[in-house]
Amino acid sequence: NLTDVVYTVEDVVKEIRDIKTRESLNVVPYTLKFKEPSTDAIRCVTNYAKKTGDYTFLSAVDLRLLALTYQL
């Protein structure tokens, strides 16, 4: 009951391969809103991940989701 809306990038849902998990998204008590982060947010998060040494462990989807979080 913390929110009515959850923002994510569309590829997060596309990565879900398990049918049961994908179907469970139909009954979550919030609305999923898809939004893409800005180029500036992606650049900022990418540069920071490189500085911390995390860049090689993060997928493109991870970076975009982190950038969206940073942007919001």
Side-chain angles (χ1 to χ4, degrees):
N1 295 333
L2 296 176
T3 188
D4 295 327
V5 178
V6 171
Y7 289 92
T8 189
V9 294
E10 197 168 353
D11 287 337
V12 167
V13 175
K14 287 180 181 178
E15 284 186 342
I16 300 172
R17 293 188 176 99
D18 176 31
I19 294 170
K20 203 172 203 179
T21 303
R22 187 180 287 271
E23 288 175 352
S24 70
L25 291 176
N26 295 323
V27 295
V28 292
Y30 47 79
T31 303
L32 280 177
K33 294 257 185 172
F34 299 110
K35 185 174 177 122
E36 286 299 317
S38 68
T39 304
D40 288 338
I42 294 170
R43 186 178 310 117
C44 181
V45 166
T46 299
N47 289 338
Y48 193 80
K50 287 178 180 178
K51 288 179 185 177
T52 62
D54 294 314
Y55 180 75
T56 57
F57 302 103
L58 297 170
S59 70
V61 175
D62 293 337
L63 289 168
R64 289 182 26 247
L65 185 58
L66 287 167
L68 179 60
T69 302
Y70 170 79
Q71 180 178 312
L72 293 174

